[in-house]
C-alpha cells in the first residue's frame, strides 16, 4: 500500500473553543460573556467543563498529539478585569494535567470570541481599554498555567470577531457599525501585541496568533486559479483581500496596514484610534502563525452593489455563490485553495512557521445501527490534507494540522444544527460516539500519512448484499418504482438506513436512462411577479451552462399536476425545480415520492424533507423595522400581502419581533399583491392611526401603492411618513423619493437553487439554503 507521508514530527490534533463546548456558564464563579444568550440555543453545549476527563481520553485513544483549546476570559475574570477567579483557573489546571498525562501537547488560545459581558458594557472592543485588559488577562493566565502550555495563541480570527460582531452584527455582541468594526479590529491587534509582550516577559516560549485566511478570487478562478482578471475584477479581489486578510497579516508581520485600507478606515469613522507606536506594539515577533481555512471568498466587480456590512468599503463588489460542491453550511469545497494560500504565505513570509489550526466541515450525519458513516467529512479532510502536503513538498513550513473539531458543538449563531465534530454528541444525553472520520483520522495519525485506499461509501452492492436482493432491485426501490413488493422494499430500506447509504447517480441511472432534462415547474404564476421571472431566467442559464435541457411547465390545475407527476414517474426528467411553492399544495410531496430529485424556491408551508432555497425574510423585516425605529418612528403600520404566502408570514414575524423588542404593538392592514391594494391598505392605516409615522410594506409593489396614497393624502415622505418596501425590484429605485427596501438576492437564489439541484443529481447530501437579505436605504425613510 503506497502512503503519502508527512514530514517527521508533523503535529496532528484537533481544535475546540471554550464557549462552544464547555457549558457550565455559571459554574464556579464564571461571569457572563457576550455569547451567553446571544443565540436562542441553550449554552450547556457539550458539558465539557464536567466531562473533560472523558474527552481527553477520547483524544488519547485517537492518538492526538496536540489539542488546541481556548480559555474563557469570563471564567478567569468574571468582571473582565480586577481580581482573578481562582476557581475558574482551576478548571484549566485540571485540564492541562490530564492532557499532559495523556501525552497530548496543549495549545492555548486566549481569545476565541467570548468577551466578558462586563467589558462589553464598558465599550467592548471599540474601546482601547479592552486591549489593555486583554494583556492583563493574558498575564494572569500565564502566571497560573504557563508552566504547562507549550504554545500560546493570543486571538482567534479577529476578522470574524470584529466584523461579524461589530460590523454586520451577526455575531455577538451584535453591533452594526463599520466604524466600531474597524476600531475593534485595531484594538484586537493592539491587544495581541500587548499580550505577546506580557507573555514573553513572563517567559512564554512560543507565541502566535490565529487568522482565518481565505484566498479571494473570482468565480472563474475557482476552477482556474491562473485565470487573468479584468482591471475591475482585479481591483475588487485586491480590496477584499486587504479587508479580510492583509488587514491582519500586515500589521502583525510587517508593522503596517495595507496602504489601500487606510482611506477606507478613514471614511468609516476616521483613524484617530490608531496611535503612534501602536503598529510597533502590534508587530511583536511571532513564532507561529495559526491558519484557519474553510473556503475561499468569491467576488467580482459589480458597480451597482452597495457594501456588505461585514466588509465595510466593499461597495461595487458582488459576493458570489459558485456552482461547486458545498458543505451543509453552504461553503464551497475547494481544497486546492489551501495549497494556494500556503504557497502565498510562504512566498510572502518565508521565515514564518505555520500551522493549520482549523479545517473541517459541517455535513449532515446519519446515526445508523452500525455507526456514523460520515464519508463526506472524510473526503473533505483527506482532500485538504493532500493539498496541504503538496504545499509542504514545495517548501511551505507547515508544522501541523488541527481538525475543526473534536465534538459536535454549539456553532455560534447557528446553534446545534451544525455538525463539525469527529465525534457525534447526542445533546439530550451527552453521549459521545466516534464517527468514521474519527477512526479514519486515528489511522492517518498512526501512519503519519494518507494511503491510496480510502474507506468506501457504502455502495449499491453493499446494500444489495445486506438486504439479500439484486442490485437492480435496490435501484428500483431507490428510484421509487412501484413494481417492488412491500416486504422487499422494507428490507432494502432497512439496509439503506443501517448502512447510511446515499443513492448516487449510478444507482439512479441503473434502471433509468438519464435524460439530462430538468423540469422547471411554475406553480400559480403571480401577477407582476418579477422575482420569479428573474429567478427562472437565472436558473435556466445556470443549468443550461451545466449541460441540462430545461422544460418549463405550468402547474396551475389539478390536471397539470397529474401530468407533471407522471413525467417524473416515467423518468422523462432527471430533476425538478419547483417555484414558487408558497401555497400549501401537495405537488412537492407527490413529486418527491417519485424519487426524482427536487428542489424548491421558497420555504414550503408544510415542513418536508425536500430542500429549498429561501431568503431570510424574517431577518430582513426585522432590519427594516429596526431602521424605522432608529429613525425615531413609533407609529409603524405594516401592509401585509396575501397571508397564505410563507414569505409574507415570515416578514410579518420579523416585523413583530422587532416591534416587540421596542415594546410596541403591530398595526396591520391586509392587501393582495397589487399596487392598488397597497394604496388602499395605506389609506386604511392612516385612518386607523392619525399619528401614523411609518409604513412597512411586505413588498415593493405594495410600498409603491402606499407612496401614492401618502401623496394623495398630502403626507410628505419621509418627513411625515417613512415608507419601507421589500424585494428591491427595479422600480424601487425609480420612485420619488427613492424607496428604502430590503434587497432579496436574485442571482444568488438562482445559483443556490441550481447548485442544490446539481448536488442532488450527484446524490450528495443536501440541506436547505437560506440567503441573507440586506437593507438598502434610500430617501423614503
Ligand atoms: C471558525 C471558528 C470556529 C468555528 C468554525 C466553524 O471560524 O473559529 O469557532 O465556528 O469556524
Amino acid at each position: 500500500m503506497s502512503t503519502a507521508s508527512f514530514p517527521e514530527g508533523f503535529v496532528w490534533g484537533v481544535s475546540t473553543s471554550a464557549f462552544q463546548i464547555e457549558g457550565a456558564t455559571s459554574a464556579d464563579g464564571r461571569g457572563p460573556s457576550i455569547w451567553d444568550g446571544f443565540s436562542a440555543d441553550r449554552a450547556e453545549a457539550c458539558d465539557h467543563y464536567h466531562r473533560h476527563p472523558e474527552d481527553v481520553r477520547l483524544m488519547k485513544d485517537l492518538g492526538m498529539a496536540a489539542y488546541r483549546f481556548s480559555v474563557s476570559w469570563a471564567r478567569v475574570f468574571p468582571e473582565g478585569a480586577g481580581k482573578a477567579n481562582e476557581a475558574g483557573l482551576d478548571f484549566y489546571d485540571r485540564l492541562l494535567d490530564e492532557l499532559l498525562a495523556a501525552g497530548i501537547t496543549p495549545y492555548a488560545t486566549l481569545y476565541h470570541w467570548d468577551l466578558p459581558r462586563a467589558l462589553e458594557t464598558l465599550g467592548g472592543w471599540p474601546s482601547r481599554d479592552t486591549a489593555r485588559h486583554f494583556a492583563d488577562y493574558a498575564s494572569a493566565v500565564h502566571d497560573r498555567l504557563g508552566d504547562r502550555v507549550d504554545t500560546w495563541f493570543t486571538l482567534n480570527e479577529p476578522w470574524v470577531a470584529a466584523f461579524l460582531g461589530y460590523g454586520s452584527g451577526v455575531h455577538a455582541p451584535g453591533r452594526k457599525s463599520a466604524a466600531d468594526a474597524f476600531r475593534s479590529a485595531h484594538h484586537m491587534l493592539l491587544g495581541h501585541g500587548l499580550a505577546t509582550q506580557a507573555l514573553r516577559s513572563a517567559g512564554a516560549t512560543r507565541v502566535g496568533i490565529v487568522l482565518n485566511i481565505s484566498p479571494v478570487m473570482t468565480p472563474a478562478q475557482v476552477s482556474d486559479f491562473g485565470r487573468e482578471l479584468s482591471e475591475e475584477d482585479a481591483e475588487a479581489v485586491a480590496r477584499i483581500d486587504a479587508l479580510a486578510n492583509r488587514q491582519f497579516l500586515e500589521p502583525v508581520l510587517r508593522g503596517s496596514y495595507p496602504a489601500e485600507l487606510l482611506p477606507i478606515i478613514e471614511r468609516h469613522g476616521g483613524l484617530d484610534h490608531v496611535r503612534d507606536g501602536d503598529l510597533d506594539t502590534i508587530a511583536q515577533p511571532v513564532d507561529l502563525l495559526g491558519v484557519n481555512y474553510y473556503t475561499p471568498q468569491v467576488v467580482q466587480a459589480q458597480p451597482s452593489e452597495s457594501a456588505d456590512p461585514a466588509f465595510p468599503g466593499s461597495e461595487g463588489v458582488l459576493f458570489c455563490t459558485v456552482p461547486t460542491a458545498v458543505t451543509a453550511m453552504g461553503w464551497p469545497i475547494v481544497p486546492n485553495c489551501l495549497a494556494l494560500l500556503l504557497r502565498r504565505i510562504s512566498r510572502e513570509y518565508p521565515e514564518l512557521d505555520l500551522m493549520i489550526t482549523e479545517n473541517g466541515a459541517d455535513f449532515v450525519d446519519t446515526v445508523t445501527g452500525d455507526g456514523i458513516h460520515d464519508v463526506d467529512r472524510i473526503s473533505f479532510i483527506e482532500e485538504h490534507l493532500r493539498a496541504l502536503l503538496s504545499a509542504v513538498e514545495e517548501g511551505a513550513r507547515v508544522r501541523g494540522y488541527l481538525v475543526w473539531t473534536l465534538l459536535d458543538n454549539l456553532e455560534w449563531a447557528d446553534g446545534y444544527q451544525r455538525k463539525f465534530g469527529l465525534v457525534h454528541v447526542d445533546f439530550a444525553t451527552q453521549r459521545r460516539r466516534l464517527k468514521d472520520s474519527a477512526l479514519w483520522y486515528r489511522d492517518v495519525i498512526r501512519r503519519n500519512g494518507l494511503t491510496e485506499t480510502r474507506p468506501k461509501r457504502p455502495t449499491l452492492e453493499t446494500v444489495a448484499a445486506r438486504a439479500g436482493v439484486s442490485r437492480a432491485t435496490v435501484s428500483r426501490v431507490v428510484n421509487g418504482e412501484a413494481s417492488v413488493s412491500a416486504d422487499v422494499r422494507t428490507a432494502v430500506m432497512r439496509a439503506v438506513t443501517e448502512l447510511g447509504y446515499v443513492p448516487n447517480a449510478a444507482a439512479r441511472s441503473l434502471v433509468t436512462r438519464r435524460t439530462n432534462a430538468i423540469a422547471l415547474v411554475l406553480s400559480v404564476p403571480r401577477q407582476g411577479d418579477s422575482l420569479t421571472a428573474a429567478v427562472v431566467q437565472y436558473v435556466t442559464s445556470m443549468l443550461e451552462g451545466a449541460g441540462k435541457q430545461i422544460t418549463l411547465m405550468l402547474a396551475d390545475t389539478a390536471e397539470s399536476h397529474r401530468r407533471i407527476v407522471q413525467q417524473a414517474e416515467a423518468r422523462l426528467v432527471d430533476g425538478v425545480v419547483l417555484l414558487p411553492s408558497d401555497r400549501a399544495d401537495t405537488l412537492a410531496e407527490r413529486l418527491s415520492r417519485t424519487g426524482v430529485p427536487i428542489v424548491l424556491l421558497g420555504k414550503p408551508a408544510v415542513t418536508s424533507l425536500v430542500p429549498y432555497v429561501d431568503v431570510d425574510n424574517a431577518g430582513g423585516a426585522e432590519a427594516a423595522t429596526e431602521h424605522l425605529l432608529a429613525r425615531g418612528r413609533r407609529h409603524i403600520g405594516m401592509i401585509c400581502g396575501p397571508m397564505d404566502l410563507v414569505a409574507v408570514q415570515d416578514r410579518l414575524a420579523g416585523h413583530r419581533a422587532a416591534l416587540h423588542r421596542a415594546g410596541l404593538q403591530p398595526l396591520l392592514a391586509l392587501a393582495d399583491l397589487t399596487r392598488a391594494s397597497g394604496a388602499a391598505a395605506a389609506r386604511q392605516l392612516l385612518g386607523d392611526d392619525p399619528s401614523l409615522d411609518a409604513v412597512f410594506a411586505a413588498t415593493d409593489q405594495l410600498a409603491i401603492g402606499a407612496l401614492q396614497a401618502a401623496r394623495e393624502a398630502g403626507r410628505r415622505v419621509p418627513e411625515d411618513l417613512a415608507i419601507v418596501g421589500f424585494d428591491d425590484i427595479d422600480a424601487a429605485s425609480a420612485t420619488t423619493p427613492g424607496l428604502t427596501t430590503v434587497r432579496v438576492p436574485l442571482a444568488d437564489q438562482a445559483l443556490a437553487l441550481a447548485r442544490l439541484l446539481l448536488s442532488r443529481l450527484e446524490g450528495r447530501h443536501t440541506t436547505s439554503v437560506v440567503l441573507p437579505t440586506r437593507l438598502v436605504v434610500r430617501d423614503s425613510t
Side-chain angles (χ1 to χ4, degrees), residues 20 112-113 156-157 160 292 294 331 358 404 411-412 420:
Q20 291 179 277
H112 202 124
W113 308 351
N156 177 72
E157 302 193 356
V160 175
N292 292 356
Y294 291 93
W331 293 348
E358 287 183 28
W404 183 267
E411 176 55 29
W412 307 111
F420 277 91

Side-chain angles (χ1 to χ4, degrees), residues 70 79 85 99 111 202 215 272 279 324 355 362 423-424 472 484 775:
S70 82
E79 293 296 323
N85 169 33
L99 288 168
Y111 187 67
D272 291 352
L279 282 151
T324 52
M355 180 158 204
D362 166 34
V423 177
H424 176 274
V484 186
L775 187 71

Side-chain angles (χ1 to χ4, degrees), residues 523-524 526 580-585 602-606 640-652 670-673 698:
S523 49
V524 220
R526 297 197 244 139
S581 63
D582 300 317
R583 286 159 216 269
D585 68 38
K603 186 170 75 184
V606 181
C640 299
M643 288 307 302
D644 60 337
L645 300 187
V646 178
V648 173
Q649 293 163 16
D650 286 351
R651 290 172 193 184
L652 173 58
L670 295 182
D672 55 31
L673 287 162

